[in-house]
Amino acid sequence: MSSPLRISIAKANLATATRLAALGRQTFTETFAASNTPDNLAAYLAEAYGPDIQLAQLQDPDCTCLLADMQGQTVGYALVQENSTLGLPEGAPAARQLEIKQLYVVEDWIGTGLGKALMRRALDIAQASQATAVVLGVWEHNTRAQAFYQRFGFREVGEVAFKLGEDVQRDLIYRKGLAGRAS
Ligand SMILES: CC(C)(COP(=O)(O)OP(=O)(O)OC[C@H]1O[C@@H](n2cnc3c(N)ncnc32)[C@H](O)[C@@H]1OP(=O)(O)O)[C@@H](O)C(=O)NCCC(=O)NCCS
């Protein structure tokens, strides 16, 4: 029997952007509401999620958004960006690295393999591009995600500030070199 999981590349249209904005707001809230103040969370949600914001991401030629659908419902997504500057010195030119900017699974579906499926597709995109490495930022206290990334061979290489409302947090930069590519 074929798997009911379907991973597809999101289309760059307003309907998809609207759906993605709601999914992003939901999953970010599920993940981080308990560890932040309501004001800081609300400020971040307002600046990070909205149909126009997600539409701009979908239309960015460097970005690809992957949607994970189960039983006709989108229950996870990943946003990746080629030519990322994450972890590079200020002012450095964009490098041949792909950044996983967002990777989220709806709470009820966590631990059921969707994260792994999304990650595999993101790594396929990286392999198909000219990228020599995959990078991402993860909150220093998000140990569940850190353990997940480590299982895929990511290693901590630095840190970067992440502003959530008024709160400046510490994200760890994780990196995975791609086999056979000079980096
Ligand atoms: C991080 C996240 C995307 C992982 O997705 P997931 O669907 O839960 O992970 P999967 O079920 O695909 O697990 C894949 C593998 O990682 C392992 N894994 C998952 N969570 C793990 C954990 N906390 N510790 C160790 N291993 C873990 C699983 O056991 C599985 O291994 P297996 O294939 O050998 O069985 C998901 O937990 C999530 O959405 N978390 C909330 C949002 C978040 O923190 N995003 C990252 C922001 S940087």
Side-chain angles (χ1 to χ4, degrees), residues 21-147:
L23 182 65
R25 207 178 289 120
Q26 176 191 340
T27 51
F28 193 91
T29 302
E30 287 172 349
T31 309
F32 298 115
S35 21
N36 292 281
T37 68
D39 282 356
N40 281 335
L41 182 69
Y44 181 77
L45 294 179
E47 87 188 31
Y49 302 104
D52 291 353
I53 299 166
Q54 271 61 56
L55 185 61
Q57 290 169 343
L58 293 174
Q59 290 174 335
D60 182 337
D62 277 341
C63 288
T64 304
C65 181
L66 299 169
L67 302 178
D69 289 293
M70 285 294 260
Q71 298 151 10
Q73 287 273 93
T74 303
V75 289
Y77 77 100
L79 178 69
V80 304
Q81 182 183 36
E82 290 177 45
N83 303 311
S84 165
T85 57
L86 181 68
L88 302 178
E90 188 85 16
R96 287 161 54 196
Q97 54 180 18
L98 178 123
E99 178 178 350
I100 299 178
K101 292 189 76 69
Q102 295 172 1
L103 174 57
Y104 286 86
V105 172
V106 168
E107 205 164 54
D108 288 351
W109 290 91
I110 283 180
T112 65
L114 299 185
K116 183 159 66 175
L118 285 164
M119 174 62 83
R120 285 192 176 144
R121 286 290 291 270
L123 294 176
D124 286 347
I125 291 171
Q127 287 287 359
S129 76
Q130 294 301 308
T132 58
V134 180
V135 292
L136 59 90
V138 55
W139 187 37
E140 61 176 324
H141 300 303
N142 190 353
T143 51
R144 176 178 60 193
Q146 288 169 28

